[in-house]
Amino acid sequence: MTFPARRLRRLRQTPALRRMVAETRLSVDDVVAPLFVREGIASPQPIASLPGVVQHTRESLRKEVRELAELGVPAVILFGVPEHKDPRGSEAWNPDGIVQVALRDLRDEVGDRMALMADLCLDEYTSHGHCGVLDRQGQPDNDATIALYGHIAVAQAAAGADVVAPSGMMDGQVGAIRAALDEAEHSRVAVLAYAAKYASALYGPFRDAVDVTIVGGGDRKGYQQDPRNFREALAEVAADIEEGADMVMVKPALAYLDVIAAVAASVDMPVAAYHVSGEYAMVKAAAERGWIDGQAAAMEHLTAIKRAGADIILTYFARELAELLHG
Ligand code: PBG
């Protein structure tokens, strides 16, 4: 017998063989498109650090979402950029706030063909850029903040959201939101918890996208997770499930594939992962310089996230992926 008896290269010889044995298959059904809608602008505004992504007007958002629906993308998640910010972020729960009017527009546009999700946080709406109302130390006051999250959840649900997605990393936020939704007779609305969300350097372009600067050059390390910690992520996930989450998310994605894999192995609900703005921007920037093949790198990123165990991937590549798979 020659050695080695098993030659692993046999099944890699042709595209058809490789396709037949592929363990991970990326589909348009796996992705959710994050979209930005800005109040008070007359035309879509490009975001320099997120090439190909824009701040939408209500009209351009409608068109984008109709096209995504036609391409088969199952869901979008909305982020709002209000014209007026204040210390409490009150536009976030205004029934006529930008995300609420956009949700109504989109329900009218696509009906039930697409799941409509809304990011639920205060940072886009507060004048200081933190994810909650501040205490005397200048940090979000946990319990005052989650009460406001309840108001936002109800406003988003009343405007037609199928899913609300709290991203502020306050303790008890999922329970407070679930209680507020049920109390207001929105028990049909699901909660996608940003459960394990790290204080990451990869959110930079997103903050350009939503015009957020944290006051005094501050950061979110007082509430988002420390990238050095793993067990804490499992504790966050367990707490959110206990409080009533319907789906849990890990964010960012590529630097946390270990966390995605562990969460996927330990929960009995859908697991989402957010391929965040910085992950997208790095691919785009290197591709623009001709240093990497952007499309191939994007596919590799998304495939790896799925291989690690994510069922749902929030990605700025959603449209490109859908176009490619339809191609
Ligand atoms: C908070 C929120 C952030 C992102 C999603 N929700 C920013 C932050 O926590 O600072 C980042 C998403 C991305 O970088 O693509 N509302």
Side-chain angles (χ1 to χ4, degrees):
M1 192 176 83
T2 56
F3 185 83
R6 183 174 181 192
R7 291 189 179 272
L8 291 164
R9 289 183 54 191
R10 284 189 190 113
L11 298 179
R12 297 178 193 150
Q13 294 180 93
T14 67
L17 280 166
R18 294 193 290 272
R19 191 150 55 89
M20 181 180 77
V21 300
E23 296 172 38
T24 308
R25 297 163 200 276
L26 209 51
S27 143
V28 66
D29 292 334
D30 300 323
V31 294
V32 174
L35 298 172
F36 302 99
V37 58
R38 179 166 164 190
E39 193 174 32
I41 50 171
S43 60
Q45 304 293 308
I47 302 156
S49 55
L50 282 177
V53 180
V54 301
Q55 294 177 327
H56 281 287
T57 66
R58 284 174 64 182
E59 268 318 300
S60 71
L61 183 75
R62 268 183 182 256
K63 179 164 177 286
E64 176 71 13
V65 172
R66 187 172 61 241
E67 289 169 9
L68 288 168
E70 278 156 17
L71 284 162
V73 173
V76 296
I77 181 163
L78 294 188
F79 295 89
V81 187
E83 219 171 345
H84 304 290
K85 305 194 185 206
D86 60 40
R88 280 160 51 87
S90 58
E91 278 300 298
W93 62 88
N94 177 352
D96 295 317
I98 183 63
V99 163
Q100 282 70 256
V101 296
L103 284 166
R104 282 189 223 108
D105 288 344
L106 296 183
R107 188 58 75 204
D108 172 59
E109 190 68 42
V110 295
D112 283 340
R113 275 196 299 158
M114 199 177 245
L116 301 180
M117 319 215 283
D119 182 80
L120 195 168
C121 198
L122 280 167
D123 60 323
E124 295 92 356
Y125 301 90
T126 54
S127 41
H128 45 73
H130 275 296
C131 295
V133 278
L134 303 184
D135 62 17
R136 279 195 295 276
Q137 284 78 43
Q139 284 296 310
D141 176 321
N142 197 87
D143 297 4
T145 297
I146 64 177
L148 299 183
Y149 287 177
H151 299 330
I152 306 175
V154 171
Q156 292 176 338
D162 295 300
V163 179
V164 298
S167 61
M169 290 301 280
M170 297 297 125
D171 288 326
Q173 63 184 13
V174 172
I177 287 166
R178 185 71 268 159
L181 286 171
D182 292 348
E183 170 81 11
E185 292 177 20
H186 293 300
S187 55
R188 62 155 202 97
V189 174
V191 177
L192 165 59
Y194 285 71
K197 175 171 174 180
Y198 285 87
S200 174
L202 296 164
Y203 306 148
F206 174 91
R207 293 182 191 161
D208 294 340
V210 291
D211 294 334
V212 167
T213 314
I214 306 175
V215 69
D219 57 42
R220 305 203 198 291
K221 291 179 183 166
Y223 40 109
Q224 298 179 347
Q225 282 179 244
D226 188 325
R228 292 171 291 195
N229 294 349
F230 171 83
R231 284 177 301 215
E232 198 186 359
L234 303 184
E236 284 283 1
V237 167
D240 285 356
I241 293 174
E242 174 80 31
E243 290 173 33
D246 300 284
M247 301 179 270
V248 288
M249 195 194 313
V250 176
K251 177 185 172 196
L254 291 173
Y256 302 90
L257 293 181
D258 55 336
V259 179
I260 295 174
V263 171
S266 70
V267 305
D268 62 358
M269 59 178 60
V271 174
Y274 201 143
H275 186 255
V276 301
S277 59
E279 298 177 277
Y280 173 89
M282 289 192 290
V283 173
K284 286 288 176 191
E288 263 172 29
R289 293 186 167 203
W291 289 355
I292 61 169
D293 175 339
Q295 194 173 77
M299 289 298 280
E300 190 173 328
H301 278 192
L302 301 181
T303 302
I305 296 164
K306 185 166 184 191
R307 193 191 62 231
D311 306 290
I312 302 165
I313 307 172
L314 284 71
T315 172
Y316 303 98
F317 284 119
R319 184 175 181 134
E320 275 181 62
L321 177 83
E323 284 169 346
L324 191 71
L325 297 179
H326 276 256

